Amino acid sequence: MVRAAVLPAVGAPLEITEISLPEPGPGQVRVRLAAAGVCHSDLSLSNGTMRVPVPAVLGHEGAGTVVSVGDGVTHVAPGDGVVLNWAPSCGSCHACAIGEVWLCADALTGAGRVHAAAADGTDLHPGLNVAAFAEETVVAANCVLPVPDGVPLADAALLGCAVLTGYGAVHHAARVREGESVAVFGVGGVGLATLQSARIAGAGPVIAVDVSPEKEELARRAGATEYVVASDTTARGIRALTGKRGADVAIECVGRAATIRAAWDSTRRGGRAVVVGIGGKDQQVTFNALELFHWGRTLSGCVYGNSDPAADLPVLADHIRAGRLDVSALVTERIALDGIPAAFENMLAGKGGRALVVF
């Protein structure tokens, strides 16, 4: 039996309870969690914005130590530190075949399996494949990647989503070039990783945008050279900071129609707007045909940073070891499992960066 955060039904409060976790079967790995980040996607799962089978153990951003492995697992062994990969690629679908592994058609098939049992015997599913909001978890072997040398295990948890997403948004989706101006909308965990990644890319100015004035210091420590409190005049303010042209790149990390539209409006003619935030179906964004022609901008989605975790983790580790990337700076609160519901409330209120569950 291990303690876990269980979502009993969509829209219901999380329950911190004991679950019965099986030993790993063939092709599976059991992991003792060291830390797990509380991501906005977990909140989106709990409120139904994203759909998964329930009841489920949530949590998809984590790292820990291998406890045991099932038959056929050879790339990790008991005692190894591992990062959980919530969206493993199958390697055989069309997206994988053309190198777009972040769009793998089968990445989330594991979310439908029976993962564990509640105390009353009810079957539980793993929220986004990995069920990281638990003291231990059992995952498919392709859901674990070795922690790179020189990366603390607790920091490695954030590599599994926030850092890969923010880094990939800058370097893969937007392809930011040195000297380009970048505006980042939303200074949460992913937004902070995006700001650091823009700084690593040599962007300038780097403009952070958020509804909360209190986040300015966080944003500047992450690499923002300018800070704009979101309002009806956000786009005008960003143009004033970029020679009246607008930003070369705007990266939206919120997932709301208003901020997506503001990100679009803030980019220069021919600029790029990248949407990282996950919004609901009710968030409708509209454009007229003439502005699409006139502005010549590119609007694109971004899934998991358009990253290949196996290829990108060593790159991120190099940045961490060189001091260019400070993963711990994303964390504004360290909590226990019992603190996850309050962390959800803080996200809804726009407070803080990343909350990290430490086991």
Side-chain angles (χ1 to χ4, degrees):
M1 302 291 286
V2 299
R3 294 179 75 239
V6 175
L7 178 68
V10 173
L14 284 182
E15 297 177 356
I16 311 302
T17 185
E18 287 196 334
I19 64 172
S20 178
L21 193 66
E23 289 303 313
Q28 292 185 324
V29 178
R30 184 168 181 142
V31 178
R32 179 178 300 114
L33 272 296
V38 183
C39 179
H40 206 281
S41 296
D42 299 309
L43 182 60
S44 295
L45 293 172
S46 72
N47 64 26
T49 299
M50 296 169 64
R51 292 187 178 183
V52 292
V54 291
V57 179
L58 297 187
H60 64 280
E61 180 184 81
T65 303
V66 175
V67 175
S68 55
V69 301
D71 291 344
V73 178
T74 58
H75 72 296
V76 293
D80 288 350
V82 292
V83 178
L84 298 180
N85 175 16
W86 63 269
S89 55
C90 70
S92 58
C93 70
H94 176 71
C96 289
I98 63 174
E100 297 178 355
V101 297
W102 55 92
L103 298 178
C104 175
D106 299 316
L108 293 179
T109 56
R113 67 182 172 87
V114 174
H115 169 72
D120 63 1
T122 301
D123 288 341
L124 301 174
H125 302 282
L128 284 177
N129 281 326
V130 296
F133 287 167
E135 294 169 330
E136 295 188 10
T137 187
V138 174
V139 299
N142 61 354
C143 286
V144 296
L145 294 166
V147 171
D149 291 340
V151 180
L153 204 51
D155 286 354
L158 300 183
L159 297 181
C161 184
V163 179
L164 271 173
T165 299
Y167 181 85
V170 170
H171 292 269
H172 301 321
R175 299 183 182 275
V176 173
R177 299 181 290 266
E178 185 174 0
E180 287 193 309
S181 54
V182 174
V184 178
F185 287 72
V187 184
V190 173
L192 290 169
T194 303
L195 288 168
Q196 287 203 42
S197 300
R199 174 179 47 76
I200 289 170
V206 177
I207 305 162
V209 182
D210 198 276
V211 296
S212 172
E214 289 77 21
K215 289 189 177 182
E216 180 171 359
E217 183 180 350
L218 263 180
R220 290 189 181 276
R221 286 205 305 265
T225 59
E226 309 289 344
Y227 192 82
V228 174
V229 178
S231 70
D232 293 341
T233 62
T234 295
R236 188 186 309 163
I238 290 174
R239 286 195 294 273
L241 294 169
T242 53
K244 299 184 179 181
R245 292 183 300 275
D248 295 303
V249 173
I251 301 177
E252 198 271 359
C253 302
V254 181
R256 293 182 61 245
T259 48
I260 293 170
R261 180 70 216 203
W264 166 270
D265 289 337
S266 298
T267 57
R268 65 166 173 83
R269 231 181 154 188
R272 291 105 69 199
V274 175
V275 179
V276 175
I278 300 172
K281 292 181 179 178
D282 61 325
Q283 295 292 311
Q284 299 291 316
V285 188
T286 60
F287 307 91
N288 66 61
L290 181 59
E291 70 175 310
L292 293 174
F293 163 78
H294 173 76
W295 289 104
R297 295 165 173 150
T298 300
L299 178 68
S300 63
C302 176
V303 178
Y304 204 7
N306 293 10
S307 293
D308 177 352
D312 286 330
L313 282 183
V315 176
L316 293 173
D318 283 343
H319 287 307
I320 291 169
R321 289 190 291 262
R324 293 183 292 267
L325 180 62
D326 183 0
V327 177
S328 62
L330 276 61
V331 179
T332 53
E333 186 180 19
R334 295 176 187 270
I335 60 175
L337 269 175
D338 295 341
I340 296 174
F344 276 11
E345 292 300 319
N346 285 338
M347 280 193 290
L348 283 170
K351 296 179 180 178
R354 195 53 123 221
L356 187 70
V357 180
V358 179
F359 295 91

